[in-house]
Amino acid sequence: MSDSATPDSANTVLVVSAHAGDFVWRAGGAIASATMRGERAVVVCLSYGERGESASQWLQGKSLDEIKAIRRGEAEAAASALGAEIEFLDIGDYPLVESREAVSRLVDVYRRVQPTVVLTHTLHDPYNGDHPAAARMALEARVLAQAIGVANSDGSFPTKDDIIGAPPVFFFEPHQPEQCDFTPNVLLDITEAFPRKRAAMECLPAQKHMWSYYTDLAVRRGVQVKRNAGPNLGLPHETMGEAYMRYFPQVTGVLS
């Protein structure tokens, strides 16, 4: 954990990330914002990204186990920079294969973590099938974790305190949004959290080319944050932002 405030267990962000770096580029601002408010953030990496995102390590002749260890260390450092907890299911990438076992393990995570918000990938990405596979498993596990008649991965059945409610799900922005049917309907101001996101990005040297891309994207989304926030909120000129799509309807008693 970072030097953020003591976590408020009433609010927990769960991030389901296909690979060990995805959560940083796409949701690092949301994660850091949550932990800076004293909330808990838990990242679940379904794989280390050991095959599809580690070309430089393969070119250096490193073994699969060595690459996994490197990616794990980088992701742990990045999560620490964001103030988040992190765990790894290590179910492989390229391809990330959907399975009953993987979904069952995610059900365990949902019930243990009891998230109030879930962040994951979009359901469409023609450039990386691992991303929509992660999203489908995240959504299926969310539903199954609500059912008291669905067993845990060890075969035991949950108690009424173990099952979850219905946390909202937000898809974070893919690398090529126009090709992934991504039309943001939520813009998040991450100005205060961006230095932590940048520090987390710099924990991933194997993908250094992404540092400037996601810094520039935060600037562009920050412009949209300001344009959509109204003229009287006094948002700073250097506003930074992240974009999301909400999957389920918002429930509210007041339109605002």
Side-chain angles (χ1 to χ4, degrees):
M1 296 289 290
S2 72
D3 59 351
S4 61
T6 301
D8 177 357
S9 59
N11 293 290
T12 300
V13 178
L14 175 63
V15 185
V16 180
S17 180
H19 310 113
D22 293 331
F23 72 94
V24 178
W25 317 119
R26 296 163 174 84
I31 296 168
S33 295
T35 60
M36 289 170 70
R37 291 191 300 269
E39 299 173 5
R40 184 186 184 199
V42 179
V43 177
V44 178
C45 293
L46 301 185
S47 82
Y48 295 110
E50 64 270 15
R51 298 187 186 277
E53 298 183 349
S54 305
S56 62
Q57 305 300 330
W58 286 104
L59 291 171
Q60 293 174 31
K62 290 186 169 59
S63 70
L64 179 61
D65 287 344
E66 288 176 316
I67 293 170
K68 284 185 176 183
I70 290 168
R71 293 308 305 271
R72 182 184 183 107
E74 292 176 352
E76 288 175 337
S80 178
L82 298 172
E85 304 165 38
I86 190 167
E87 53 189 274
F88 306 87
L89 298 193
D90 190 18
I91 60 177
D93 74 323
Y94 270 53
L96 175 64
V97 178
E98 297 171 68
S99 69
R100 301 313 314 158
E101 178 188 3
V103 171
S104 184
R105 292 173 67 187
L106 272 176
V107 168
D108 289 348
V109 172
Y110 274 91
R111 288 173 172 168
R112 170 165 44 84
V113 171
Q114 295 288 311
T116 48
V117 175
V118 177
L119 310 180
T120 193
H121 298 267
T122 54
L123 287 167
H124 181 62
D125 188 336
Y127 298 100
N128 194 322
D130 290 1
H131 295 162
R136 288 190 295 267
M137 287 191 284
L139 290 171
E140 183 177 1
R142 173 191 174 277
V143 172
L144 295 179
Q146 298 177 61
I148 198 166
V150 173
N152 301 312
S153 64
D154 63 4
S156 65
F157 282 88
T159 69
K160 65 179 181 180
D161 294 326
D162 295 328
I163 60 174
I164 69 168
V169 177
F170 296 88
F171 298 145
F172 40 64
E173 184 164 5
H175 195 64
Q176 299 193 54
E178 296 85 357
Q179 307 303 318
C180 300
D181 299 331
F182 182 83
T183 303
N185 53 22
V186 177
L187 295 169
L188 182 67
D189 183 348
I190 63 165
T191 307
E192 296 300 319
F194 185 77
R196 295 193 186 199
K197 178 172 182 175
R198 178 70 192 202
M201 290 196 289
E202 292 179 4
C203 293
L204 306 173
Q207 295 176 283
K208 189 173 182 178
H209 60 285
M210 305 277 263
W211 298 359
S212 59
Y213 179 93
Y214 280 97
T215 298
D216 293 343
L217 179 60
V219 172
R220 294 197 300 275
R221 291 306 188 191
V223 171
Q224 295 170 352
V225 167
K226 290 192 298 179
R227 292 292 298 270
N228 286 276
N232 301 316
L233 297 185
L235 293 177
H237 178 70
E238 65 276 9
T239 300
M240 307 291 268
E242 283 177 345
Y244 293 86
M245 285 179 62
R246 186 179 180 118
Y247 185 60
F248 295 105
Q250 180 181 3
V251 177
T252 181
V254 178
L255 293 176
S256 61

